[in-house]
Amino acid sequence: MTGRLLGIARHARSRAPMELVERVEVTRDGGIHGDFRGAMRGKPYKRQVTLIERGDWDGAMAAVGHRIGWQERRANLLVDGIDLPRVPGVRLRIGADVVLEITRECDPCERMEALADGLRAALTPDWRGGACAMVVEGGWIALDDAIRIEES
């Protein structure tokens, strides 16, 4: 199964607005270039890059009756056409070079309630809030890049 990268977002510091970009470098040491979370590699840090499925975000928006941009979820990557693995250790390839390893579920925080009543609960079931990952192989990613699960 192959999906597509529909969105890339980053924020320079905690609580900073999300910046949408069309292309970005991803490194093992820094995650998504310009995103403050990418360099936070202490143990047991497992949230270097975050991903969310477009269908899951759209479903949460329908549940709360709002239309809020996906980047307000504060995820780094918006994907479509692929079900994100819900198993730590599974690897995803984005574009030609970047490989991410799923580490855990991306639990929705209390900030989601500030966006819309009930949004945190709407993002909670079945990893609907997305997945966290670490960078295994770096490179460049761009909008519309292919995303696929790496074979073990």
Side-chain angles (χ1 to χ4, degrees):
M1 177 185 287
T2 301
R4 291 274 168 227
L5 181 60
L6 296 184
I8 305 168
R10 62 187 180 187
H11 53 308
R13 63 187 183 291
S14 179
R15 301 196 181 273
M18 296 300 285
E19 173 191 15
L20 295 173
V21 296
E22 294 183 7
R23 185 172 186 267
V24 72
E25 185 177 19
V26 180
T27 65
R28 290 185 67 191
D29 291 332
I32 291 179
H33 179 74
D35 190 76
F36 91 102
R37 285 199 184 275
M40 300 174 73
R41 295 191 53 114
K43 303 233 187 241
Y45 191 72
K46 295 182 176 186
R47 187 181 173 148
Q48 196 176 30
V49 176
T50 53
L51 305 95
I52 190 167
E53 295 174 33
R54 180 175 75 167
D56 285 343
W57 181 252
D58 290 348
M61 289 294 95
V64 298
H66 285 275
R67 296 178 70 105
I68 300 169
W70 72 273
Q71 71 276 10
E72 297 303 320
R73 170 64 183 103
R74 306 195 63 79
N76 297 117
L77 305 177
L78 178 68
V79 304
D80 192 31
I82 188 170
D83 290 327
L84 291 173
R86 290 165 171 77
V87 178
V90 175
R91 292 183 174 187
L92 299 170
R93 180 170 296 275
I94 303 175
D97 302 319
V98 173
V99 176
L100 304 178
E101 183 174 301
I102 301 297
T103 57
R104 66 180 180 89
E105 179 178 5
C106 189
D107 299 319
C109 68
E110 66 281 349
R111 294 187 71 187
M112 297 301 100
E113 285 304 298
L115 293 174
D117 288 339
L119 181 54
R120 186 176 189 183
L123 289 169
T124 299
D126 198 30
W127 288 47
R128 197 183 223 183
C132 298
M134 296 298 288
V135 179
V136 176
E137 295 177 25
W140 285 84
I141 58 172
L143 296 181
D144 203 39
D145 274 353
I147 301 173
R148 66 183 179 281
I149 296 172
E150 287 278 272
E151 296 298 323
S152 326

